[in-house]
Amino acid sequence: MDEPASPARDGARPLALVVEGDAIQRIGTADCVAEAGFEVIEAWNGATAFRQIERHPELRLVVIDADLPDPDGRFALIHAIARLRPGLTLMAVSAGPAPEPGALPCDARFSSKPLGAVLARQVRAGLGEPLT
């Protein structure tokens, strides 16, 4: 089922997408990212993530569960998003091991789950966005 198109945004907060297959973890991560001052939209798999990215050119951050099932490998989704939207800030989160050097796209960050509010605020500050 497709998500409805987003209403017009006021631009007061940068937009972030949380991509997480587990609903409880998605809600927790979205809450953490929102607490850091982002407006948050959600996706539960790669297909819904790509639809959200297409619908929201103003998107600034994507937080991606590195452990989503993907036949192309653990970090395939984050690489695909990096190719689709160069310059978009990307963060992989995982309950599994940290990635080997070079496993993530250049400039992508990694965090162990759960994502902490302090790290989310650091990412926002790195975007040049004032913290609220």
Side-chain angles (χ1 to χ4, degrees), residues 67-117:
D67 302 316
L68 284 172
D70 192 316
D72 295 323
R74 185 171 181 221
F75 298 110
L77 180 58
I78 196 168
H79 279 281
I81 292 171
R83 284 188 301 274
L84 178 67
R85 290 277 303 272
L88 189 60
T89 300
L90 302 173
M91 176 177 285
V93 294
S94 174
E100 296 293 324
L104 291 176
C106 184
D107 296 328
R109 290 178 159 221
F110 176 82
S111 176
S112 296
K113 284 183 180 179
L115 178 66

Side-chain angles (χ1 to χ4, degrees), residues 7-98:
R9 300 180 59 247
D10 65 9
R13 296 184 298 157
L15 184 63
L17 171 63
V18 172
V19 185
E20 168 65 62
D22 179 89
I24 300 297
Q25 290 186 29
R26 187 172 57 249
I27 291 166
T29 301
D31 286 349
C32 177
V33 173
E35 181 182 316
F38 288 89
E39 180 177 341
V40 180
I41 56 176
E42 301 176 12
W44 46 92
N45 60 30
T48 56
F50 285 117
R51 283 196 299 273
Q52 293 286 37
I53 291 167
E54 289 173 6
R55 289 182 178 152
H56 298 282
E58 73 279 19
L59 194 63
R60 300 289 307 276
L61 169 68
V62 181
V63 179
I64 305 160
D65 176 15
D67 302 316
L68 284 172
D70 192 316
D72 295 323
R74 185 171 181 221
F75 298 110
L77 180 58
I78 196 168
H79 279 281
I81 292 171
R83 284 188 301 274
L84 178 67
R85 290 277 303 272
L88 189 60
T89 300
L90 302 173
M91 176 177 285
V93 294
S94 174

